């Protein structure tokens, strides 16, 4: 409508479904749009818009009224959090909480009947309400609370659910009652018969504190649900509840970049050059201390959100301009030296007070720069020297002792020219832990619970867990959602994009690779045309790989630069036009079904954008597209193995 004023909401985000739509609808009501106008823009049923409108109208009442008991009760019944009320009244959330306590305003927890009244519900499954009153039965045994990972989203999902469920079962074996706190109906941890008590509540400091006030746990576990529980730990301890396992000081040592850098220096461990910049001016003044390429990321990111590899000054300027809303002197941008071509590894271990169990070392198949959640991985490592592995184990144990970790520790390292660099430490269960636990048969989550509960292990028990005694090779496959999102790009980088993973297990590396690719729904074409578009630095190193493909009977097509290189190297190749050079071009050929798979390596923002249509064509037509040279090498190895005959199933346990 013409009467829409120039305000801070997006008509596009209101009109088309997206993850921020509800916030823009709220904002539109705050700026005076009517229910009829928003119904016209969204086609959302007026009843739902009326509910949103009622909340916005009540915000005005909160602003102009005294925060007496009646107003607060009304606000809580409408779903307002303490933090939102505090913002509207220009107060702190703690002030609103104290006010509620003075008025004795607290939620009640009512039980969900999971059996529809037909049978007695076996697990108390609770939701909170301010509309009625009910007592939660007092636990008969000591209770431990486990905080889950919240809604599934990129960077935080099913892998943490595995840890939560295993953690609950381990605590029950130790004769504790367990209260599971999570807000995700799609998880096994929120099945009504997983825990002894289940609270289906938002993972916020307010919601969890109210639960703890009722159930009075002996402590809470924050290491199993990814970064979300770790971020909540400080407030929950401040409110008087005990964090089990690693202390807040230990968590800070891993989370605070300056403290962690100091610890690494004290242990003579190498870390990439890095600086922190709160603004573009500061970044331009300090760029030379890091050098290019560098990797930039705002503080407190999840799943590598907004992380990018920056190749030059122009890209650095562009990065700060695009992400300025997330960068400030209080939350600076981390600018780290990017170790181009390095081999990256994940290390998982569990430390008790006087013992350490190494879970294993996962070697990333893609080179450094691909997020650990997106990179294929292999255990045991295939390219690391035995002495390098020994060094990794030794330094990992030293770090765990120095930081006084009790429970899980995940380390991400990069190895370049046999030098080991520490990239980051996560004082919690990691995304790679379920894969490692299944591959090595070491019960890492159960051991983590023992460490967090202060249980000692005998030296014989510690020695019995030896990840190096693996008799099979296991490869982590990765599942991506690109097909479901029309504008998504399959290029891999520091920002996580995968939504699942699989495991290939075999007697040889190539057999495990075949299984990992096939189980990740990636076709292994036995013949056909390979389309190539390679960055300059990959052409010569990849030549032996391309000759291997030629020997296997594949033909080649490529964009002009790559085609000229192949022809000069004695490999026959069809030259295709780039998209901007006219029709028919390389994308037309991919979409026509004449290409079996694609190897497209690129760098720099302009090149990435120019080659987007190549990768999108592959996604739309389910054609394998390898965007990284090491991944392409693994794919070719799998192609070769897949032609050798029958691949047998490899059971995890006999």
């Amino acid at each position: 409508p013409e009467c829409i004023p120039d305000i801070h909401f997006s008509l596009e985000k209101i009109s088309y479904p997206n993850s921020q739509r509800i916030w823009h609808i709220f904002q539109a009501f705050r700026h005076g749009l009517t229910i009829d106008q928003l119904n016209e823009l969204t086609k959302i049923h007026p009843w739902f818009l009326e509910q949103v409108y009622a909340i916005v109208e009540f915000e005005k009442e909160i602003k102009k009224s005294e925060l007496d008991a009646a107003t607060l009760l009304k606000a809580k019944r409408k779903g307002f959090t303490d933090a939102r009320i505090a913002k509207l009244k220009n107060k702190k959330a703690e002030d609103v909480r104290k006010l509620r306590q003075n008025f004795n305003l607290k939620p009640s927890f009512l039980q969900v009947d999971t059996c529809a009244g037909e049978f007695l519900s076996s697990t108390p499954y609770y939701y909170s309400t301010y509309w009625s009153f009910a007592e939660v039965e007092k636990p008969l045994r000591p209770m431990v609370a486990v905080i889950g990972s919240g809604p599934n989203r990129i960077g935080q999902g099913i892998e943490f659910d595995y840890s939560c469920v295993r953690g609950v079962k381990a605590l029950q074996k130790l004769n504790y009652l367990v209260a599971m706190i999570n807000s995700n109906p799609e998880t096994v941890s929120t099945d009504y018969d997983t825990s002894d008590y289940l609270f289906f509540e938002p993972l916020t400091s307010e919601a969890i504190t109210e639960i703890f006030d009722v159930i009075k746990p002996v402590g809470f576990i924050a290491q199993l649900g990814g970064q979300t529980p770790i971020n909540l730990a400080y407030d929950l301890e401040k409110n008087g509840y005990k964090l089990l396992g690693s202390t807040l000081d230990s968590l800070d040592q891993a989370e605070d970049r300056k403290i962690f850098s100091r610890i690494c220096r004290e242990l003579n461990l190498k870390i990439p050059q890095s600086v922190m910049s709160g603004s573009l001016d500061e970044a331009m003044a300090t760029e030379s201390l890091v050098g290019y390429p560098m990797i930039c990321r705002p503080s407190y990111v999840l799943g590598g959100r907004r992380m990018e590899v920056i190749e030059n000054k122009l890209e650095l300027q562009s990065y700060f301009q695009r992400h300025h809303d997330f960068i400030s002197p209080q939350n600076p941008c981390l600018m780290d030296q990017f170790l181009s071509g390095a081999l990256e590894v994940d290390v998982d271990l569990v430390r008790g007070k006087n013992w350490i169990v190494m879970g294993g070392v996962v070697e990333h198949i893609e080179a450094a720069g691909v997020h650990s959640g997106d990179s294929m991985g292999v255990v045991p490592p295939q390219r690391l020297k035995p002495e390098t592995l020994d060094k990794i184990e030794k330094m990992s144990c030293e770090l765990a002792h120095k930081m006084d970790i009790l429970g899980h520790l995940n380390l991400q390292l990069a190895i370049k020219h046999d030098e080991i660099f520490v990239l980051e430490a996560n004082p919690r269960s990691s995304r790679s832990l379920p894969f490692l636990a299944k591959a090595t048969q070491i019960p890492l989550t159960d051991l983590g619970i023992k460490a967090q509960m202060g249980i000692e292990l005998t030296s014989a028990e510690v020695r019995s867990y030896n990840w190096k005694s693996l008799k099979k090779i296991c490869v982590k496959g990765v599942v991506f959602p690109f097909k479901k999102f029309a504008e998504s790009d399959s290029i891999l980088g520091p920002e996580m994009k995968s939504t699942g993973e699989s495991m290939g297990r075999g007697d040889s590396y190539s057999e495990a690779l075949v299984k990992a690719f096939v189980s990740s729904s990636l076709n292994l074409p036995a013949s056909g045309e390979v389309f190539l578009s390679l960055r300059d630095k990959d052409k010569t190193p990849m030549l032996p790989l391309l000759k291997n493909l030629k020997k296997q009977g594949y033909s080649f097509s490529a964009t002009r630069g790559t085609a000229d290189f192949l022809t000069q190297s004695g490999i026959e190749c069809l030259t295709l036009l780039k998209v901007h050079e006219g029709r028919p071009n390389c994308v037309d050929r991919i979409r026509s079904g004449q290409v079996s798979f694609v190897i497209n390596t690129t760098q720099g923002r302009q090149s990435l954008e120019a080659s987007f249509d190549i990768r999108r064509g592959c996604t739309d037509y389910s054609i394998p597209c390898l965007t990284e040279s090491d991944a392409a090498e693994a794919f070719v190895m799998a192609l070769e193995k897949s032609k050798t005959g029958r691949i047998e199933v490899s059971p995890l346990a006999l």
Side-chain angles (χ1 to χ4, degrees), residues 172-443:
Q172 288 170 334
K173 282 179 194 167
L174 296 174
N175 207 31
Y176 288 98
L177 289 171
V178 185
M180 184 72 218
I181 303 167
N182 206 352
S183 56
N184 187 348
E186 295 297 322
T187 56
V188 183
S189 65
T190 51
D191 282 0
Y192 60 85
D193 57 355
T194 293
S195 57
D196 301 291
Y197 287 70
L198 171 61
F199 290 87
F200 201 78
E201 292 292 300
L203 297 186
T204 63
S205 173
E206 177 189 339
I208 296 174
T209 301
E210 293 297 341
I211 294 167
F212 286 4
D213 286 351
V214 171
I215 64 172
K216 301 286 191 292
V218 296
F220 66 94
I221 301 277
Q223 292 186 23
L224 303 180
Q227 194 61 34
T228 300
I230 296 286
N231 293 345
L232 291 163
Y234 176 80
D235 274 352
L236 296 173
E237 270 228 337
K238 191 176 70 175
N239 289 332
Y241 293 99
K242 184 182 178 185
L243 171 64
L244 297 168
S246 300
T247 63
L248 288 177
D249 283 344
S250 293
L251 299 185
D252 275 347
Q253 286 176 9
E255 302 277 316
D256 189 305
R257 192 73 176 191
K258 284 182 181 173
I259 299 174
F260 184 64
S261 298
R262 191 194 72 229
I263 288 171
C264 288
R265 281 193 296 272
E266 287 172 4
L267 292 173
N268 292 319
L269 303 179
K270 291 184 171 67
I271 54 174
Q273 291 289 336
S274 67
V275 295
M276 291 192 280
S277 301
S279 66
L280 175 58
D281 290 343
E282 200 177 338
M284 299 313 286
T286 54
E287 54 158 355
S288 59
L289 298 175
V290 179
Y292 295 103
M294 68 173 70
I295 196 160
C296 286
R297 57 177 174 147
S299 304
Y300 307 107
V301 296
L302 177 71
R305 299 241 2 239
R306 292 176 283 275
M307 282 175 68
E308 291 180 21
V309 175
I310 305 298
E311 300 280 350
N312 52 51
K313 190 174 288 197
L314 282 175
E315 287 188 14
L316 184 62
Q317 288 173 333
S318 167
Y319 179 86
F320 271 79
Q321 286 158 2
R322 284 180 287 115
H323 300 301
H324 70 275
D325 289 344
F326 305 96
I327 299 168
S328 66
Q330 294 75 36
N331 289 307
C333 172
L334 304 175
M335 297 159 57
D336 287 345
Q337 172 192 3
F338 177 57
L339 300 166
S340 183
L343 194 65
E344 205 165 324
V345 299
D346 260 293
V347 181
D348 281 288
L349 62 82
V350 175
R351 178 181 179 265
K353 200 166 179 63
N354 298 304
W355 55 271
I356 282 189
V357 171
M358 286 293 301
V361 177
V362 179
E363 177 192 291
H364 293 196
I365 290 172
E366 287 89 348
V370 175
H371 190 281
S372 60
D374 286 354
S375 182
M376 293 181 72
V378 57
V379 61
Q382 299 296 296
R383 293 172 287 181
L384 289 180
K385 295 176 182 174
E387 55 268 31
T388 306
L389 263 183
D390 292 341
K391 278 186 202 169
I392 287 172
E393 287 203 0
K394 183 172 178 286
M395 61 180 280
S396 300
C397 293
E398 285 175 355
L399 257 177
H401 285 308
K402 182 78 173 174
M403 294 161 66
D404 199 22
I405 294 294
L406 287 174
H408 295 280
L409 179 65
N410 164 258
L411 296 172
Q412 290 181 24
L413 314 173
I415 293 93
K416 190 164 186 177
H417 306 312
D418 293 332
E419 287 190 311
I420 303 168
F421 292 83
V422 183
L423 302 181
E424 63 179 74
N426 298 303
R428 54 173 172 78
S429 171
S430 72
R431 195 175 291 104
S432 53
L433 182 138
F435 168 72
L436 255 182
K438 287 178 186 293
T440 63
Q441 303 288 288
I442 297 174

Side-chain angles (χ1 to χ4, degrees), residues 159-179:
E159 300 90 341
F160 297 120
D161 189 42
Y162 167 92
S163 294
C164 286
V165 174
R166 292 287 308 214
V168 167
K169 299 303 179 192
L171 284 162
Q172 288 170 334
K173 282 179 194 167
L174 296 174
N175 207 31
Y176 288 98
L177 289 171
V178 185

Side-chain angles (χ1 to χ4, degrees), residues 614-630:
I614 293 172
R615 296 185 294 276
R616 191 63 230 178
C618 293
T619 300
D620 291 342
Y621 286 83
S622 300
I623 296 166
C625 180
L626 291 309
T627 60
E628 208 274 334
S629 57
D630 289 339

Side-chain angles (χ1 to χ4, degrees), residues 596-639:
S596 295
F597 71 94
V598 170
I599 303 176
N600 169 221
T601 68
T602 186
Q603 71 182 53
R605 193 160 190 84
Q606 278 186 318
S607 299
L608 283 174
E609 289 169 359
S611 54
F612 168 77
D613 289 334
I614 293 172
R615 296 185 294 276
R616 191 63 230 178
C618 293
T619 300
D620 291 342
Y621 286 83
S622 300
I623 296 166
C625 180
L626 291 309
T627 60
E628 208 274 334
S629 57
D630 289 339
E633 194 172 325
F635 188 76
V636 172
M637 193 185 295
L639 284 177

Side-chain angles (χ1 to χ4, degrees), residues 4-56:
I4 293 176
D6 182 21
I7 50 182
H8 300 297
F9 65 84
S10 162
L11 284 181
E12 187 180 355
K13 292 207 167 180
I14 285 173
S15 300
Y16 298 97
N18 64 88
S19 61
Q20 284 96 41
R21 190 184 206 189
I22 189 70
W23 311 119
H24 287 265
I25 290 172
F26 268 99
Q27 197 63 14
F29 277 133
R30 290 187 190 111
H31 286 275
L33 268 71
T34 65
I35 290 171
D36 286 342
Q37 285 175 316
L38 281 166
N39 172 245
E40 181 65 31
L41 285 165
T42 64
K43 303 304 178 190
I44 293 173
H45 193 285
W47 186 88
F48 296 103
L49 294 172
E50 284 164 11
Q51 310 313 305
V52 176
Y53 180 74
I55 290 170
V56 172

